Amino acid sequence: KNQVEQSPQSLIILEGKNCTLQCNYTVSPFSNLRWYKQDTGRGPVSLTIMTFSENTKSNGRYTATLDADTKQSSLHITASQLSDSASYICVVSARTGTYKYIFGTGTRLKVLA
Amino acid sequence: DTGVSQNPRHKITKRGQNVTFRCDPISEHNRLYWYRQTLGQGPEFLTYFQNEAQLEKSRLLSDRFSAERPKGSFSTLEIQRTEQGDSAMYLCASSFLTSTDTQYFGPGTRLTVL
């Protein structure tokens, strides 16, 4: 069964600190993996997308990694800011099927001053 | 604003009433998706369209739910005989069919059923 699991479920850190969010998946055949940021009460916004051949992708202070062998991805946030407080959702796409997106339940990050 | 828009942003209704939501996708996008999201959960897929054709529906989409995209542009999602369990954020997303097919989400419509 295609699944995406994220950990931790929630995280609280102090402003300026770094953090890493995890995403494990069992989606096959794998096409790509996205990380989305969702502010409270808003729709998700894409941060990064990685295909099978990519193992790292950066977007400002956000760096995503992908290990296609172990089917794991991480999202590293450097020098966190208050505006990073949001839910971060991992979405994995399969290469087959009409609808092929598997969403994780997200990690809720709270950055404190 | 050329992003995905949704109306209304908030809807409060009484149990048993019908509600309709509208989604306007990014103009050149040929795919449109509807999701439902409850607090603390990721979006749950409901249905999606390619142009005007509804290609897939989730088993979550009971017969009280119907979606249309009559001209391959905007879409509507109707919920008939609403129940308290329908209270959620309803998200719409659109994409252009490419190898990456990134979905762009709208701000959502928050439905509260009293």
Side-chain angles (χ1 to χ4, degrees), chain A residues 30-103:
Chain A
F30 174 86
S31 176
N32 57 62
L33 183 148
R34 294 174 174 81
W35 283 93
Y36 282 88
K37 178 186 179 188
Q38 185 175 23
D39 292 317
T40 301
R42 307 292 294 272
V45 174
S46 179
L47 292 175
T48 65
I49 177 172
M50 287 181 293
T51 59
F52 185 87
S53 59
E54 297 173 300
N55 55 24
T56 187
K57 184 82 64 87
S58 291
N59 178 358
R61 295 179 296 101
Y62 301 102
T63 299
T65 64
L66 173 65
D67 185 333
D69 292 331
T70 61
K71 298 186 177 180
Q72 296 179 326
S73 175
S74 64
L75 181 69
H76 186 74
I77 304 174
T78 304
S80 60
Q81 300 176 358
L82 297 179
S83 59
D84 292 331
S85 295
S87 287
Y88 292 85
I89 302 171
C90 176
V91 184
V92 181
S93 298
R95 272 194 283 114
T96 59
T98 50
Y99 180 78
K100 50 192 179 178
Y101 305 92
I102 315 301
F103 282 73

Side-chain angles (χ1 to χ4, degrees), chain B residues 9-112:
Chain B
R9 292 293 309 277
H10 304 275
K11 178 71 177 179
I12 300 173
T13 190
K14 292 182 178 178
R15 191 173 49 188
Q17 298 294 304
N18 299 342
V19 295
T20 300
F21 309 141
R22 175 176 170 129
C23 171
D24 287 271
I26 293 171
S27 58
E28 63 268 26
H29 284 185
N30 52 7
R31 286 188 164 183
L32 187 148
Y33 311 80
W34 284 101
Y35 294 89
R36 180 171 66 189
Q37 187 177 29
T38 53
L39 200 61
Q41 300 296 314
E44 296 176 295
F45 168 72
L46 293 178
T47 188
Y48 97 99
F49 294 83
Q50 183 160 309
N51 300 314
E52 65 274 11
Q54 189 172 19
L55 293 189
E56 190 158 334
K57 293 193 294 185
S58 164
R59 280 170 287 183
L60 290 174
L61 210 68
S62 76
D63 56 6
R64 296 185 299 106
F65 287 69
S66 63
E68 294 183 341
R69 194 183 184 197
K71 297 182 180 180
S73 56
F74 73 93
S75 175
T76 58
L77 177 68
E78 181 183 16
I79 309 174
Q80 296 181 325
R81 306 180 304 280
T82 53
E83 302 172 355
Q84 288 186 322
D86 297 331
S87 296
M89 174 77 87
Y90 289 84
L91 292 166
C92 174
S94 69
S95 70
F96 187 73
L97 180 56
T98 64
S99 59
T100 57
D101 203 19
T102 296
Q103 295 178 61
Y104 294 83
F105 284 83
T109 294
R110 176 153 310 275
L111 173 65
T112 302

